[in-house]
Amino acid sequence: MNRNLGRWICWIAIALLTVTASEHIRAADGLKPEAVIKSIEAGKRYLISRQSPNGSWECGLNTMYPTGPTALATLALLNIGMTPQDAPIQKALDFLRSKPTPETTYEAGLQLMVYAAAKDEKRDRARMLAIVRKLEEAQDTNGAHPGWWGYRLSPGSHGSDHSNTQYAVLGLREAAFAGIPTGRKGWELTRQHWTKAQAADGGWGYQPGDGNSSGTMSVAGIASLVMADSMLPEDSNIGADGLPDCCRDEARNEALERGLNWLRSRFAVGHNIGDGAIGGVLYYLYGLERAGRLSGLRFFGNHDWFREGAAFLIRGQGPEGHWIGSGAGENDPIVGTSFALLFLSKGMAPVLINKLKFGPPAERNAKGIAVEDWNRHRLDIHNLTDMISGMPKWPKLVTWQVVEMDKALKGGGVADLMQAPVLFMSGKDQPAFGDPEVELLREYVNAGGFLFAVGNCNAAGFDEGFRELIKRMYPNGEAELKKLAPEHPIFRSEFLLSQAEVNLWGVDFGCRTAIVYSPDDIACGWNKWCVSDPPGRRPELKGYVSKSTHIGVNVVAYATGREPPDKLKQAALAEQAAQRDRIEAGLLQIVQLRHTGGWDTAPHALRNILVALNETAGLSAATKPRELAASDPNLFNYPIAYMHGRHKFDLSRAERERLKQYLENGCVLFADACCSSSPFDKSFRELAAALYPDKPLTRIPITHELYSSKTIGHDLRTVRRRGADQTAGRGVIASTVITGEPILEGIEVDGRYVVIYSKYDISCALERQSAIACEGYVSEDATKLAVNIIQYFMLQQLK
């Protein structure tokens, strides 16, 4: 066939497919990460513009709290990503350090949070120790309501209230996570106080018994109870061998549950709620963020607290980037803007793990303890994410949340499960999932999700049920639960673990292991973790907790590469995953080539390319791609062919001849090596040399139009690529992200590339399955590369 005629035929196929752009399915609420980031940047500029030359921030509160507004503004800027190396932060820290240790509770709590966030232990440790000592001495231990604080830090001072108390608790918690010892007795009093001070309706007022529960004080109570619980691990169930009885029913915190129910039934973001509305809406939102994040709840009732709160704040932001609230203090823009930025920045923290709520409602056992099988260890995921937040190489703050199976089935489906990169499930009893639940879990994994399961109490019921679940998810035997081999990257992803001492099983899907199961109750160990061990904790228990948490961190590190996306980006990915099968088939078709080297290693990668073309390039593309052998005569019906793999392969002579004819007819080939596989890379280079002996694969220069946003789609002159150094740290995988020029190679014929190849992974990243040991482009940039390549091929058909 004449080459020009072949190109014409391919162009006709494309032209017929792209006459009109498809209608894209978008997020219903329209809140995008870009809008939140823009709002944060405007608020940041405003605060910096109002900083005094001496590093402080001045407002009407300075008379009563000389360092308070400065500490609050500094904390807000540190939480939105500024560092002590930035001049405004350095000046602010110098100002705070130049002042005597604070005499008020508000200032003490805020300064502790600032120094903990600055992470300069050498300079600030002595000051933090002194502030912690003053706070602990000032806690009311003998009054009518022991366990709370007043305005002043002098021992025995009067005028205690719940607003001051929450700042004391916040500061002490951050100090503890910064390595400053805090007394267990103070935490016990704190929990006791908030429990006894709870109003009959389940909320909290400014003071106990005033009968006026408010939003500001109720979110303070919720957060304080969660913090106190996490600081008070219970060691009373330790046996003679020093190990915990993981099967003893664990009581729920009834006061916490009542407080959450109070908030669910009254939730709003546009104003402070409750009968005794102490404080303004911005102060309330600042506390609401903590209540939602620390309790692991994405929703209060049917309300997504972060999305609704962020939308409210963006709408109400002033023209200079500031916020002014209605309550005392926050009616000053320095204070109001700081509260708003703290809500937005901490609410945007990556959700690392979804904890799956499933099964029947809670039941009370013979002792009256409410038991939920999915939540036998209440603090397991809470503690694991707290531990990870304090580790190097991870984001400075990661969070977790509960996702309910029933709500997912009735509402968002797979999008609800995809709100975090890891879905965790555990229990003692056999999980009773119906067919819809099983199908939803299958869709979640197929969409790039990672399922992490732990059997509680080492019970046979959950073990048998989970193994049966895998068979139901994959009834045709396409997936099998197997014990992980000693060389599996999980054993080196963060800590160096011995496979002989760790009982982990997994299910492999192409690029990675996408389901991991521990029959041993390692979550029991997470439940016992605390930033500081309680007095008298036995060495055997310390070792058990350490081993359990190391296993958990390794699994999560493997699943996420230590880079979970922020909350709104993860939500956008979740919505995209839910929409894929609902996008109407267009006419743009891309065929995937079958071969013997793992042609379907990333089975959804091509579909994800087509979805991205629909969403970002304004094209109408089919999202159910066809797979053919290179020898199939139907190959010529498709203008673009795509292939990837992870193993050695060899096309037959007939397949090579048909593929060469296909390319000579004006059609094109796009390929990549999954996880930078050396065997596939070698085989593909051999194939390229056989197809074009006189035209070797050569690197596509960075000046080529393929990388330009002017002629194609995305500006790709700089991209991010993951590398995996497996020699660092005695064999621990030290994953790094390299920022630089993309590396693509191609075969050019008559001034256009007919073959484009990446030796670095694109396909696994397109499925968001680029695990820590998988070298290649990060998911966002891999998608952009694939879109640009397809658009480049299409534009060449017009020339």
Side-chain angles (χ1 to χ4, degrees):
M1 183 183 292
N2 178 273
R3 175 177 175 79
N4 290 331
L5 177 60
R7 290 178 61 182
W8 176 245
I9 291 172
C10 284
W11 156 238
I12 290 175
I14 294 174
L16 290 173
L17 307 182
T18 58
V19 174
T20 60
S22 64
E23 291 294 328
H24 303 158
I25 299 175
R26 302 298 184 186
D29 59 12
L31 183 65
K32 300 298 180 185
E34 294 78 13
V36 180
I37 293 169
K38 182 179 178 181
S39 179
I40 289 174
E41 284 297 313
K44 169 185 170 182
R45 289 193 299 271
Y46 176 79
L47 281 186
I48 292 174
S49 72
R50 295 289 302 273
Q51 188 176 26
S52 300
N54 68 351
S56 70
W57 276 268
E58 300 292 335
C59 76
L61 293 174
N62 286 71
T63 302
M64 186 177 295
Y65 307 109
T67 65
T70 298
L72 181 63
T74 306
L75 181 65
L77 293 177
L78 284 168
N79 274 278
I80 63 174
M82 296 188 73
T83 70
Q85 287 68 50
D86 294 316
I89 300 296
Q90 187 60 62
K91 288 167 44 178
L93 289 171
D94 288 344
F95 173 82
L96 292 173
R97 289 164 178 156
S98 71
K99 302 299 179 182
T101 55
E103 295 297 330
T104 70
T105 303
Y106 282 125
E107 291 177 287
L110 283 168
Q111 284 198 29
L112 284 177
M113 289 187 274
V114 167
Y115 299 137
K119 296 183 178 180
D120 191 342
E121 182 180 351
K122 185 176 181 180
R123 295 189 64 177
D124 297 324
R125 182 174 178 82
R127 188 178 181 88
M128 293 180 74
L129 281 166
I131 296 174
V132 166
R133 184 165 57 250
K134 291 179 75 170
L135 271 175
E136 292 186 329
E137 290 174 352
Q139 188 179 24
D140 185 348
T141 59
N142 299 312
H145 304 284
W148 59 341
W149 281 263
Y151 283 89
R152 309 296 299 179
L153 291 182
S154 54
S157 64
H158 300 289
S160 299
D161 63 73
H162 288 151
S163 183
N164 277 287
T165 300
Q166 74 161 326
Y167 273 85
V169 174
L170 286 167
L172 289 171
R173 178 185 186 273
E174 294 306 308
F177 275 82
I180 306 298
T182 59
R184 184 178 178 90
K185 180 63 176 177
W187 288 108
E188 290 173 343
L189 281 172
T190 296
R191 182 164 64 183
Q192 173 186 316
H193 173 83
W194 286 99
T195 300
K196 291 186 176 180
Q198 190 172 31
D201 63 3
W204 285 268
Y206 188 62
Q207 292 185 329
D210 63 10
N212 294 312
S213 297
S214 69
T216 48
M217 298 301 95
S218 294
V219 295
I222 290 168
S224 295
L225 283 175
V226 175
M227 288 186 281
D229 274 354
S230 68
M231 297 299 295
L232 295 169
E234 177 58 62
D235 284 3
S236 63
N237 63 336
I238 306 305
D241 58 358
L243 299 180
D245 176 5
C246 295
C247 289
R248 191 178 76 173
D249 290 337
E250 183 180 324
R252 295 192 300 177
N253 188 322
E254 301 287 353
L256 176 59
E257 289 298 321
R258 291 180 62 223
L260 291 170
N261 287 334
W262 184 94
L263 186 56
R264 290 183 182 105
S265 65
R266 295 165 176 83
F267 182 85
V269 296
H271 61 277
N272 189 6
I273 58 177
D275 297 327
I278 299 296
V281 64
L282 299 179
Y283 184 37
Y284 161 61
L285 287 177
Y286 173 45
L288 177 65
E289 175 275 322
R290 286 192 301 278
R293 173 170 53 86
L294 293 176
S295 63
L297 295 179
R298 176 188 168 200
F299 293 98
F300 288 113
N302 294 319
H303 298 276
D304 186 320
W305 60 264
F306 176 71
R307 287 195 172 218
E308 292 187 26
F312 168 78
L313 288 173
I314 292 172
R315 289 195 303 269
Q317 190 169 19
E320 296 181 56
H322 64 287
W323 285 270
I324 298 177
S326 56
E330 68 179 42
N331 53 11
D332 184 281
I334 298 300
V335 175
T337 301
S338 298
F339 282 150
L341 288 179
L342 285 165
F343 176 91
L344 291 174
S345 60
K346 289 198 170 186
M348 280 277 281
V351 181
L352 187 67
I353 304 173
N354 269 339
K355 185 172 183 179
L356 184 64
K357 180 178 180 179
F358 64 96
E363 297 180 358
R364 294 188 180 274
N365 63 14
K367 296 181 180 180
I369 297 175
V371 178
E372 296 174 295
D373 194 49
W374 68 275
N375 199 29
R376 285 187 173 273
H377 305 313
R378 286 191 302 114
L379 295 174
D380 48 10
I381 298 301
H382 175 104
N383 289 346
L384 189 64
T385 52
D386 268 357
M387 177 183 175
I388 288 173
S389 282
M391 296 178 64
K393 303 178 186 177
W394 289 85
K396 66 179 181 179
L397 177 64
V398 291
T399 65
W400 67 286
Q401 64 187 18
V402 174
V403 61
E404 299 181 36
M405 178 65 84
D406 287 347
K407 283 188 176 180
L409 284 173
K410 296 174 183 177
V414 70
D416 282 359
L417 304 189
M418 290 291 291
Q419 291 292 332
V422 176
L423 177 66
F424 175 80
M425 64 175 291
S426 63
K428 174 185 175 183
D429 303 326
Q430 183 168 344
F433 288 129
D435 291 340
E437 289 97 331
V438 173
E439 181 58 28
L440 182 59
L441 291 172
R442 176 187 171 96
E443 289 178 12
Y444 166 74
V445 174
N446 288 347
F450 184 94
L451 179 59
F452 184 14
V454 172
N456 294 155
C457 311
N458 304 323
F462 186 88
D463 184 74
E464 293 172 2
F466 186 76
R467 293 177 187 277
E468 181 61 27
L469 172 64
I470 299 302
K471 294 177 181 178
R472 291 177 64 194
M473 288 171 65
Y474 302 97
N476 297 323
E478 64 265 42
E480 184 180 355
L481 191 64
K482 298 179 180 179
K483 190 165 186 178
L484 299 189
E487 63 273 11
H488 197 286
I490 277 181
F491 299 112
R492 307 186 311 282
S493 60
E494 187 76 40
F495 301 99
L496 194 61
L497 303 176
S498 169
Q499 185 262 4
E501 299 175 0
V502 177
N503 187 21
L504 287 180
W505 295 64
V507 178
D508 291 337
F509 290 93
C511 305
R512 66 169 184 170
T513 303
I515 299 174
V516 170
Y517 168 53
S518 171
D520 297 337
D521 193 356
I522 54 176
C524 180
W526 310 343
N527 204 54
K528 295 292 184 183
W529 181 87
C530 184
V531 67
S532 57
D533 287 330
R537 174 164 277 191
R538 294 178 58 171
E540 298 92 340
L541 180 56
K542 291 182 180 181
Y544 171 77
V545 170
S546 176
K547 178 182 176 181
S548 299
T549 52
H550 287 185
I551 296 170
V553 171
N554 272 34
V555 173
V556 177
Y558 170 80
T560 65
R562 305 188 192 97
E563 292 182 351
D566 66 50
K567 179 177 290 187
L568 287 180
K569 287 186 177 180
Q570 186 68 35
L573 294 172
E575 288 159 358
Q576 183 187 78
Q579 293 164 7
R580 285 178 184 142
D581 289 335
R582 298 198 296 267
I583 294 175
E584 292 185 6
L587 297 173
L588 172 58
Q589 301 280 348
I590 300 176
V591 67
Q592 183 166 356
L593 296 184
R594 291 178 176 267
H595 58 84
T596 59
W599 71 271
D600 61 345
T601 293
H604 306 294
L606 178 53
R607 185 179 67 172
N608 291 353
I609 295 174
L610 294 164
V611 169
L613 286 166
N614 276 321
E615 295 189 340
T616 64
L619 301 177
S620 181
T623 55
K624 294 184 179 179
R626 181 81 182 275
E627 303 91 17
L628 296 173
S631 58
D632 195 310
N634 289 310
L635 182 65
F636 293 91
N637 294 329
Y638 303 90
I640 301 173
Y642 161 80
M643 70 182 294
H644 66 236
R646 200 167 184 177
H647 309 293
K648 177 182 178 181
F649 71 93
D650 184 25
L651 297 188
S652 67
R653 180 176 179 180
E655 288 175 318
R656 291 197 303 270
E657 289 177 352
R658 185 61 60 88
L659 185 57
K660 179 66 176 293
Q661 185 183 11
Y662 171 80
L663 297 175
E664 288 182 343
N665 285 347
C667 298
V668 289
L669 173 64
F670 164 36
D672 75 288
C674 291
C675 295
S676 302
S677 164
S678 295
F680 181 88
D681 180 71
K682 180 180 179 181
S683 295
F684 188 83
R685 293 182 185 280
E686 292 171 351
L687 171 63
L691 294 173
Y692 291 96
D694 57 339
K695 296 182 182 294
L697 280 169
T698 56
R699 182 170 177 179
I700 301 175
I702 196 61
T703 55
H704 193 273
E705 63 177 326
L706 171 64
Y707 304 116
S708 172
S709 60
K710 294 180 180 179
T711 54
I712 304 297
H714 303 285
D715 185 342
L716 293 174
R717 289 170 293 180
T718 300
V719 296
R720 293 160 296 162
R721 176 168 51 83
R722 186 189 306 281
D725 178 6
Q726 301 190 27
T727 63
R730 299 176 300 157
V732 173
I733 299 173
S735 178
T736 59
V737 175
I738 303 162
T739 300
E741 296 179 356
I743 299 176
L744 296 176
E745 298 172 88
I747 296 176
E748 194 172 14
V749 177
D750 294 339
R752 72 183 187 99
Y753 285 100
V754 299
V755 175
I756 293 180
Y757 171 65
S758 174
K759 66 179 180 180
Y760 294 112
D761 176 82
I762 291 177
S763 294
C764 291
L766 284 164
E767 292 200 335
R768 296 190 300 281
Q769 292 189 1
S770 48
I772 194 168
C774 184
E775 294 187 59
Y777 297 100
V778 301
S779 295
E780 183 178 354
D781 290 350
T783 301
K784 291 178 180 178
L785 279 168
V787 166
N788 271 30
I789 290 169
I790 300 301
Q791 287 186 286
Y792 165 77
F793 281 151
M794 293 176 64
L795 287 176
Q796 295 312 298
Q797 306 300 327
L798 296 171
K799 297 180 179 179

